[in-house]
Each structure stands twice: as C-alpha cells, then as structure tokens.
Amino acid sequence: MKIIIAAGTGFLGKNLEKYFTEKGNQVYILTRNPKRKNEFLWDAKTLGEWKNLLEDSDVLINLAGKSVDCRYTEKNKREIYESRINSTKVLQQAVDNCTNKPKIWLNASSATIYVHSEKHLNTEENGIIGDDFSMNICKSWEKEFFKTENPDTRKVALRTSIVLGNNGGAFTKLRMITKLGLGGKQGRGNQNVSWIHIDDFCRAVEWIIENANISEEINVTAPNPLNNEEFMRKLRKEMKIPFGINAPVWQLEIASIILGTETELLLKSRNVYPEILIQNGFQFLYPTAEKAFENLL
C-alpha cells in the first residue's frame, strides 16, 4: 500500500511507519522539518507540493495537533483548536483536488470526547459526550472531518485512549515515577484509565484499513479499563517496586503548574470500551494491563 502519515514524526507516527514499512508498504511522512527521503514539507494549514503524494494513495492518516500536555492558557487553547481544525481542513482540500483519491482516511480523535465516567462504560453507540474545553475540541475536530463526504474515500475517526509504549508517550513517564517510588494513586485513584498497547494500536489501524465495513467513529482502546489505583498497583507489581507514594489532588495541582501541564490528564475518568472492534472480531494481543506491562517491561 501507499500510505501517507500527516504529522508522522511523533510517538504514534514513528510506530505506525515502522509497523507498515516492515510489512513492505510505502510510507510517506508529512512534517514541518523533513530530514529523510520519505519526508515532505508541510505546515498543516496550507496546500503545497505535498498534496501530489495523496494522488493514487491507499491510506491517509492524520495525526496533526498540538499536544494537550500543556497549561490551558488562552494562547495554548487556541493553538490546540486551530492545529486540529486547520490540518483536517487543508487535507480535505488536498483530497478534493485528487483525481484518484485515497481509499481510506483515518483522522486522529480522542477518547477524551466522552464525559468523566466512573461507572458508565462508553461505547461508540451509547457513549456520553459532554461540554467542556477538551470534549468540545474533539467534537469540533470530528465535525470538521466528517463535514465533507467523498464517496471514494472511507473516513474513520480514531477515538484513541492513552497509548502505552517504550519509545515515547505516557508510559515512559509512568515507569519513571514508579521507579522513583512515586507510583501510588493520583488523586482519589478511582478515575478509570482507558489504555492500549502500541502494538495493538498499530494492529487496530491495519485492521480498520482492511475491513471495508468499518467507518465513522471508532474507539481505539483495550477492552479492560481499570481504575487509577489498580492500574498503578499492577505497574508497581510488574516492576517489583514494593511501594508507591500517593499524590493527593492539591499536590498534583502544584506539580502541574511547575511541569506546565493540566491535572485533567491524570484525573479525568476515561471509561471507554472498543465495542465496534470487539463485535467485528478484532483480537487484542494485550487485552489486560498485566499483559501489556509484562511485555513492555
């Protein structure tokens, strides 16, 4: 296949590129700072020479968007919003200009689109979507993505949970704080953690590409979310760390200011279930946190 990954130099993009390249596919990366032969310059908001790559392509994957791991200042909130909307908008223009359009376009979204939920399990069909900054970002993002229909291009929004891997993302930080003895519960510890192993993330993307009946919004997450206290306990057990100091909310508030992030990233309860993947026969290699930790460690 000919695969284009927009904003493909981050954690997810690098793993997808490696996964698909090793299977003999041609993978091209759109990036602000091209360094390799398969990387092409784009600014995520204006059309350029990169648009020609989309012609006769099989797969377009858009991962563009400013990281939410920052303080929610007005400036950062505007950049978080615009980076997602503008990149989706300009890719739509490029797709519209193609004679032979990409067969499938997968656009990043987030499991954060669902409300804080400790009891209700959010599937694609019965998920409760609320109204705050993070959820509204996701709603606007998906609205922009699905606004234009292209009969020749199947569209899928990837509502992805926390992705666990050893070469980036949240897991490297969790492993570090646990090693330092700080791997206790965060806040009350009853907020749910929805997660997926990086290998299953890549396999799920491939599976969605191969299954022509899959479209619209898909929860890309392992089938067994668990609360933060249990999640951290299992991590400590696998790392053979006998204790972990708990972090109450007030400490997290102070730390988040120092680290330039928001406590929502740790304290929001993401209770999400991949119903469409499960119902259509996708098999997870790492369905439980224990299996994921065992592999990653």
Side-chain angles (χ1 to χ4, degrees):
M1 294 184 294
K2 180 183 179 184
I3 300 171
I4 318 299
I5 306 179
T9 57
F11 169 54
L12 296 183
K14 283 178 179 174
N15 281 278
L16 285 171
E17 180 187 359
K18 182 174 184 288
Y19 181 84
F20 282 111
T21 301
E22 286 177 352
K23 294 198 162 202
N25 302 288
Q26 290 178 297
V27 181
Y28 301 93
I29 306 296
L30 305 184
T31 172
R32 295 176 189 273
N33 188 22
K35 294 176 181 176
R36 300 174 297 156
K37 283 183 181 178
N38 69 328
E39 294 181 345
F40 294 82
L41 179 67
W42 89 317
D43 64 2
K45 56 187 177 185
T46 53
L47 286 173
E49 289 301 311
W50 59 265
K51 72 180 188 297
N52 300 323
L53 281 171
L54 273 61
E55 193 70 50
D56 288 310
S57 63
D58 296 286
V59 182
L60 170 61
I61 302 172
N62 178 26
L63 302 174
K66 175 181 170 63
S67 172
V68 294
D69 189 4
C70 63
R71 294 297 288 174
Y72 290 167
T73 62
E74 288 308 310
K75 177 177 179 287
N76 283 340
K77 286 200 285 189
R78 187 173 65 251
E79 289 178 1
I80 287 168
Y81 175 83
E82 289 178 353
S83 62
R84 285 157 174 73
I85 301 303
N86 291 342
S87 61
T88 304
K89 198 175 284 186
V90 76
L91 285 170
Q92 183 64 64
Q93 291 172 16
V95 169
D96 289 340
N97 286 340
C98 287
T99 304
N100 297 306
K101 304 183 192 309
K103 295 180 179 65
I104 180 170
W105 175 1
L106 302 102
N107 214 60
S109 183
S110 173
T112 302
I113 197 168
Y114 301 112
V115 295
H116 176 101
S117 175
E118 293 169 15
K119 300 281 190 235
H120 180 77
L121 194 60
N122 290 291
T123 67
E124 293 90 347
E125 186 177 1
N126 73 1
I128 301 170
I129 296 173
D131 181 24
D132 67 7
F133 169 69
S134 297
M135 288 182 272
N136 289 338
I137 287 288
C138 294
K139 286 190 286 186
S140 300
W141 202 1
E142 291 187 2
K143 184 180 178 184
E144 183 64 42
F145 178 50
F146 289 116
K147 188 165 70 176
T148 305
E149 284 188 33
N150 295 104
D152 298 328
T153 302
R154 176 164 54 104
K155 287 185 171 184
V156 179
L158 304 172
R159 290 180 176 170
T160 306
S161 62
I162 297 165
V163 183
L164 305 178
N166 277 325
N167 57 345
F171 186 69
T172 53
K173 295 174 184 175
L174 289 170
R175 194 177 59 203
M176 181 180 69
I177 65 168
T178 303
K179 196 173 182 180
L180 294 172
L182 302 172
K185 65 182 181 182
Q186 283 107 29
R188 290 185 299 156
N190 57 354
Q191 68 274 29
N192 285 296
V193 182
S194 284
W195 57 275
I196 186 170
H197 189 292
I198 184 63
D199 291 354
D200 278 334
F201 172 79
C202 293
R203 292 175 60 253
V205 168
E206 180 184 43
W207 185 87
I208 289 166
I209 292 166
E210 291 174 347
N211 283 267
N213 62 314
I214 303 298
S215 62
E216 300 185 344
E217 305 87 358
I218 304 294
N219 291 341
V220 185
T221 181
N224 294 293
L226 67 171
N227 70 45
N228 170 266
E229 185 172 11
E230 189 69 4
F231 183 86
M232 296 308 296
R233 187 186 67 75
K234 290 179 186 297
L235 180 56
R236 291 196 308 273
K237 182 180 178 184
E238 190 61 41
M239 289 182 68
K240 297 179 172 56
I241 303 292
F243 69 93
I245 298 171
N246 297 329
V249 172
W250 66 268
Q251 280 186 359
L252 293 173
E253 293 287 356
I254 295 170
S256 68
I257 294 169
I258 295 168
L259 297 171
T261 188
E262 290 286 341
T263 55
E264 178 197 46
L265 302 180
L266 283 173
L267 299 179
K268 179 171 180 177
S269 186
R270 296 171 179 83
N271 197 14
V272 184
Y273 183 76
E275 188 169 67
I276 289 176
L277 288 178
I278 295 290
Q279 285 184 348
N280 287 275
F282 180 75
Q283 299 286 323
F284 285 86
L285 290 177
Y286 308 101
T288 65
E290 290 95 332
K291 284 189 180 295
F293 293 154
E294 185 182 336
N295 171 264
L296 291 169
L297 296 166

